[in-house]
Amino acid sequence: MITFNSVSKRFADGTTAVDSLSLEVPDGEIAVFVGPSGCGKTTTLRMVNRMIEPTDGVIEVDGKNILKEDPAELRRRIGYVIQQIGLFPHRTIRENIGTVPGLVGWDKKRTQERVDELIEVVGLQEDSGDRYPHELSGGQQQRVGVARALAVDPPIMLMDEPFGAVDPIVRTRLQEEFLRLQQEVQKTIVFVTHDIDEAIKMGDRIALLSQGGHLEQYATPEEMLASPANEFVADFLGGERGLKQLALISVSDVDAQSGPVVTLEDTRAHASEVAGDANTDWVVVVDDARHLRGWVSIEELNGQRNVGEGNIHAFSAEVKSGDSLRTALNAMVTSRTGVAARVGEGGIYEGIVTHRLINEELSKPAQHTPD
Amino acid sequence: MTFLSELLAWFTDPLNWQGTSGIPIRTWEHIQYSVAATLIAALIALPISLYLGHTGRGGLLAINIANIGRAIPSLGLIIMAFILLGLNIVPVMIALVALAIPPIVTNTYIGIRNVNREVRDAAGGMGMTGWQILTRVEIPVALPLIMAGLRTSAVQVVATATLAAYLSFGGLGRFLFDGLALQDYEQLTGGALLIAALSLITEFALARVQAVIVPKGLAKRNATAAVDAKMSGRAGVASSGA
C-alpha cells in the first residue's frame, strides 16, 4: 500500500506542483493519476521513489516512511517505467532487463533464468534478447521497459505514460496485455497519463488532479463517471460520459431479455403472434438446439408456411457476455431491429439487449466494484 | 639529381638510420613526448570533465578556460615556460599538455551531457548510485565522443611535439630545425613526412582502439555517424563488423 499524507511539493521558483495531497493506493490496484499538464501528476509519481523530494508531508510504502530509506535501495524495490523508456543503448535487451538484478547482486544463473522468463511474459520474441534497443520497434522497446521494471518482482510499480510514445493500435494491445499481466502479478501501481480514456481503461481508481496539484476527485472510474465531484471533473471526463460508462459495464452485468423467439419450424401465424406480444415487427430465429440463426420480419413471412422458408437476416453484430455495453450499443444502432443479440458458447442464443436495459443500467447508483 | 631522388636517397642512406640522431631514435623520442603529454592531459582533463558532465555544472566555464590553452600559440608558451623554468623538458610538456587538454575536456563534457536525459533518469530510477550511473551508463554511452577528443588531442600533440627540438631536445622536429638551419631541404622534407606519417598512424591506431572498446550496440547504432566516416575504409569495415 502506498499512502500520501498531506504531501506538497513547491519548487524553488515558488510554483506549487503538488498541494497537500492525501490518498491511499491499496495493494494490488492500479491508481491512475490523470490531469492536464502542470497538474503535478508526474511530480507526484516521482516523489514515491524519491526522484523528487516532497517539501511537506509523508509518503509511506507499506507503512514505512520512504524518506527514512536509502534512495538507491528504495528505488531497486520499486519498478520504474517511463514514456521515453530510457533503455541503455550500449546494452543488449537481456542486459537491460537484468539491470536491477545486477544491482541487488543476483548471481548470473538466477538473473538469466529471470530474464528468459520475462522475455516470454511481456511477449518479446525469444531472439530479441541479444539485440540492442535501437534494433527494436517502439512497441517492442516498451515491452522491454516493462520487463526491466519487473525484473526483481518489485511489489510496487511506477509507470509514467508508459504507452504514450507508441501508435494507437500498439498502445491498445500493450494496455490489454498489461491488464492481463496485472491480473497475475497483482502489483500496486501508480500510473500517470494525460489521457482520460486510458485512465478509465487502466485504473482501478483514478486520481484526477488540476493545475497546481489539487486533487479534484479520487474514485473508481465507475463512480467518477456516474457522479463527478464537480464541474472540472465532469469537463475533464468529456462529453461522452455515458458511453465511457457503458464501456466499463459488461453485457453479463445486465439480464438479457428473452425477446420474441421462434424456431425454424414455427408457423407464420405463431411468429406473428410472438412479434405482436413483444410489440415488434420482427422475430429472432433459432434452431432446435437454440443456435441463433438471425432475425426475420413478419412482413417478409407473408406467403410462407413456416419461419424456415423466410428470408432470415443475420444480426449485424452478436455480442458475448464479456463484451461491454458500449459494444452492445454499437450493435444496436447498426441493426435494423434496434437490439443486440447476445450469444453464449457455441452460438447459443441467450437473449437480446435493448435500449431500455441500457437506460436502466445507467440510471442505477454508481457501483463500487472495480474489477 | 632531382629533388625526389635526393629525398629518396636521404631516406635510404643507412647513416640516417643509425645512432642517436637516426630516424628510429628520433621517432622513439617523438613518441615518448607525445604519449607522455597526451596521458598527462588525459589524467588532468578526464576526471574534471567527467565530473562536470555528470553533475552538469560549470561545464561551459571549464570548456572556455580549457580553450585558452588552444588560443595561446604553442611556440610562445614554450618560450615563456623556458624563460621561467629554464632549459628542460618541462616547458615542452606544458605546451603540449595545454594543447591536448581542450579537445578532451570539450568532447568528454559534451559526450556525457549528450547522454539522453531519459536514459539517465531510468538509471537513477532503477536504483543506480551516481557513481554507477557515471561508470555503467554515461561513460560507455559517451565513449565515442570521449575517444574522438583523445584522438584529436593525440594527433595535435604528435604534430606539435616537433617543437621539442626548438629547445634542443630530440624528436622528429630535429630534422626540421636542422634541415632549416643547414638549408638541407631533403632532411627538412623527410622529417615533415615522418611527422605526417606518425600523425596518421596515431589516428589510425586510436581509431582501432575505439572500435574495440566502444560497446557493440553503440558502434552498430553509430555505424553511419560522422565519427566512423572519418575512418579509412578498412577501419570502417572493422568497426561495423566488430
Side-chain angles (χ1 to χ4, degrees):
Chain A
M1 189 164 73
I2 306 168
T3 315
F4 293 84
N5 210 332
S6 306
V7 174
S8 296
K9 176 67 190 180
R10 276 177 296 279
F11 287 110
D13 63 1
T15 53
T16 300
V18 180
D19 185 22
S20 196
L21 177 74
S22 295
L23 60 82
E24 271 179 14
V25 183
D27 281 336
E29 290 198 1
I30 302 179
V32 180
F33 287 51
V34 66
S37 53
C39 72
K41 52 192 190 292
T42 292
T43 304
T44 306
L45 175 134
R46 291 168 67 86
M47 285 194 288
V48 177
N49 66 354
R50 296 189 62 183
M51 296 294 279
I52 294 177
E53 304 279 7
T55 324
D56 273 314
V58 175
I59 301 173
E60 290 176 344
V61 169
D62 292 330
K64 280 185 226 150
N65 184 347
I66 59 162
L67 289 176
K68 300 216 165 98
E69 298 190 47
D70 176 68
E73 273 170 34
L74 173 77
R75 289 169 194 159
R76 290 168 194 174
R77 296 201 310 270
I78 298 179
Y80 188 56
V81 188
I82 54 176
Q83 179 182 347
Q84 305 83 355
I85 318 172
L87 295 182
F88 301 140
H90 60 300
R91 293 190 177 183
T92 64
I93 300 310
R94 297 184 134 275
E95 289 165 346
N96 265 284
I97 298 174
T99 303
V100 184
L103 291 175
V104 299
W106 285 16
D107 62 50
K108 263 209 178 109
K109 185 163 168 280
R110 187 175 172 202
T111 304
Q112 198 142 43
E113 283 169 4
R114 178 63 177 158
V115 170
D116 284 335
E117 188 188 346
L118 282 168
I119 283 179
E120 199 186 308
V121 164
V122 301
L124 283 166
Q125 282 163 321
E126 252 176 74
D127 64 355
S128 50
D130 296 318
R131 299 216 182 146
Y132 287 92
H134 75 274
E135 298 175 288
L136 266 53
S137 69
Q140 297 293 91
Q141 289 187 26
Q142 200 47 272
R143 288 170 202 265
V144 178
V146 172
R148 188 171 66 169
L150 285 169
V152 294
D153 204 15
I156 290 170
M157 301 257 286
L158 305 177
M159 307 180 83
D160 190 355
E161 307 230 12
F163 311 128
V166 292
D167 67 68
I169 294 170
V170 175
R171 184 182 314 146
T172 304
R173 202 163 68 220
L174 290 175
Q175 286 169 339
E176 278 161 11
E177 285 180 17
F178 187 76
L179 283 175
R180 267 201 299 280
L181 181 61
Q182 165 67 355
Q183 294 211 314
E184 285 169 42
V185 297
Q186 300 274 318
K187 301 295 180 196
T188 308
I189 298 171
V190 173
F191 188 112
V192 161
T193 180
H194 63 269
D195 174 2
I196 186 65
D197 291 312
E198 183 170 60
I200 291 168
K201 183 170 184 178
M202 303 302 290
D204 294 311
R205 282 157 207 277
I206 299 175
L208 182 49
L209 300 160
S210 60
Q211 208 77 28
H214 300 283
L215 180 63
E216 299 290 343
Q217 190 171 7
Y218 184 49
T220 65
E222 291 84 354
E223 277 176 76
M224 194 175 277
L225 286 164
S227 39
N230 54 42
E231 211 158 297
F232 178 85
V233 178
D235 279 352
F236 200 84
L237 290 170
E240 296 176 343
R241 232 165 61 212
L243 287 177
K244 283 169 184 162
Q245 229 175 321
L246 288 181
L248 294 172
I249 306 168
S250 74
V251 165
S252 59
D253 289 343
V254 299
D255 301 317
Q257 292 178 344
S258 60
V261 185
V262 298
T263 65
L264 292 164
E265 285 76 30
D266 282 330
T267 62
R268 181 192 171 278
H270 178 70
S272 173
E273 193 180 316
V274 169
D277 287 349
N279 207 13
T280 64
D281 59 353
W282 49 268
V283 286
V284 177
V285 183
V286 299
D287 63 17
D288 289 340
R290 287 195 64 83
H291 289 114
L292 178 67
R293 301 302 284 264
W295 63 272
V296 65
S297 81
I298 300 303
E299 207 182 307
E300 283 175 326
L301 282 178
N302 279 336
Q304 316 291 353
R305 265 172 305 158
N306 61 30
V307 172
E309 289 176 6
N311 184 12
I312 299 173
H313 308 275
F315 278 94
S316 69
E318 296 168 2
V319 297
K320 300 193 173 58
S321 60
D323 290 332
S324 72
L325 281 188
R326 186 174 178 157
T327 307
L329 183 64
N330 185 58
M332 287 156 60
V333 297
T334 54
S335 171
R336 226 272 280 142
T337 58
V339 303
R342 173 176 159 187
V343 296
E345 287 294 314
I348 301 290
Y349 173 71
E350 289 182 341
I352 55 173
V353 183
T354 65
H355 280 126
R356 218 185 69 215
L357 284 176
I358 288 180
N359 277 336
E360 282 170 4
E361 191 59 35
L362 282 183
S363 54
K364 275 188 200 169
Q367 294 160 324
H368 298 252
T369 50
D371 50 15
Chain B
M1 272 206 287
T2 66
F3 178 71
L4 270 182
S5 59
E6 279 179 32
L7 185 61
L8 192 67
W10 185 80
F11 269 111
T12 50
D13 184 348
L15 279 177
N16 286 338
W17 293 86
Q18 289 164 7
T20 51
S21 59
I23 292 170
I25 296 292
R26 290 295 181 221
T27 305
W28 176 235
E29 288 166 348
H30 203 97
I31 290 173
Q32 282 176 307
Y33 300 151
S34 304
V35 169
T38 309
L39 277 182
I40 291 168
L43 284 175
I44 295 168
L46 279 177
I48 293 172
S49 46
L50 287 174
Y51 175 79
L52 294 176
H54 178 69
T55 58
R57 279 195 292 259
L60 289 178
L61 185 69
I63 288 174
N64 285 325
I65 291 173
N67 275 332
I68 294 173
R70 195 144 49 179
I72 300 173
S74 297
L75 189 57
L77 199 55
I78 284 186
I79 293 168
M80 197 176 77
F82 163 64
I83 293 167
L84 292 174
L85 301 168
L87 181 63
N88 53 54
I89 195 70
V90 175
V92 177
M93 281 296 148
I94 287 176
L96 294 181
V97 168
L99 184 74
I101 283 178
I104 301 177
V105 169
T106 307
N107 281 279
T108 303
Y109 176 79
I110 291 175
I112 297 287
R113 287 320 298 162
N114 272 358
V115 174
N116 271 343
R117 209 173 50 80
E118 298 79 30
V119 170
R120 204 178 275 133
D121 183 61
M126 283 188 295
M128 285 193 186
T129 60
W131 177 253
Q132 286 168 332
I133 293 173
L134 178 67
T135 55
R136 299 185 189 192
V137 179
E138 289 172 336
I139 292 178
V141 173
L143 211 47
L145 263 181
I146 296 173
M147 283 302 298
L150 285 169
R151 276 160 61 183
T152 307
S153 290
V155 171
Q156 282 182 6
V157 164
V158 168
T160 313
T162 311
L163 292 179
Y166 184 74
L167 287 192
S168 77
F169 290 98
L172 293 170
R174 234 3 322 135
F175 298 123
L176 267 65
F177 287 104
D178 292 352
L180 266 179
L182 303 171
Q183 299 199 341
D184 177 355
Y185 295 118
E186 290 77 40
Q187 189 182 158
L188 176 69
T189 312
L193 284 175
L194 286 169
I195 292 164
L198 194 57
S199 298
L200 287 175
I201 290 168
T202 304
E203 168 74 6
F204 181 75
L206 286 177
R208 291 301 298 263
V209 170
Q210 178 170 349
V212 171
I213 66 170
V214 165
K216 212 171 117 194
L218 292 179
K220 274 191 188 173
R221 190 180 63 165
N222 298 339
T224 52
V227 176
D228 281 32
K230 266 171 66 185
M231 292 186 201
S232 68
R234 254 183 342 141
V237 171
S239 82
S240 60

